[in-house]
Amino acid sequence: MQKNKIHSIPFLARKPYIIIVERIPGKNAPAVREALEGIFQEYPNVQQTFISITADNGSEFSKLSAQGKEMGIDVYFAQFVDCVA
């Protein structure tokens, strides 16, 4: 039996230095977009508060680049590097 999963997205804003964790209903691109829109509405100076967004390469972030462009925020995608010694 699978337990109910809670998906969340952590955000780090530089000005003021805060961490935002937003619950989302599922691990998909529309849920991420809706969560970001809700967060951005709370901050009148979005471009000054959120300088950039860094995400992994998961499919839930597939629309993030376009959304960042719309908001004037740089979006970066982390690349996994296997560091086996």
Side-chain angles (χ1 to χ4, degrees), residues 50-70:
F50 299 93
I51 297 168
S52 66
I53 298 171
T54 302
D56 63 30
N57 290 317
S59 61
E60 68 271 25
F61 300 115
S62 62
K63 306 293 183 190
L64 191 57
S65 188
Q67 188 175 12
K69 194 173 196 175
E70 291 171 11

Side-chain angles (χ1 to χ4, degrees), residues 3-55:
K3 295 182 180 182
N4 291 336
K5 290 185 178 183
I6 297 175
H7 301 283
S8 63
I9 305 174
F11 294 95
L12 175 65
R14 293 187 182 186
K15 296 178 184 179
Y17 187 77
I18 57 174
I19 296 173
I20 302 164
V21 178
E22 184 75 20
R23 283 186 170 184
I24 57 175
K27 190 176 173 183
N28 56 57
V32 170
R33 182 175 186 84
E34 187 176 318
L36 275 175
E37 287 174 354
I39 291 169
F40 291 159
Q41 288 177 0
E42 295 180 29
Y43 295 88
N45 298 319
V46 173
Q47 290 80 11
Q48 287 77 35
T49 304
F50 299 93
I51 297 168
S52 66
I53 298 171
T54 302

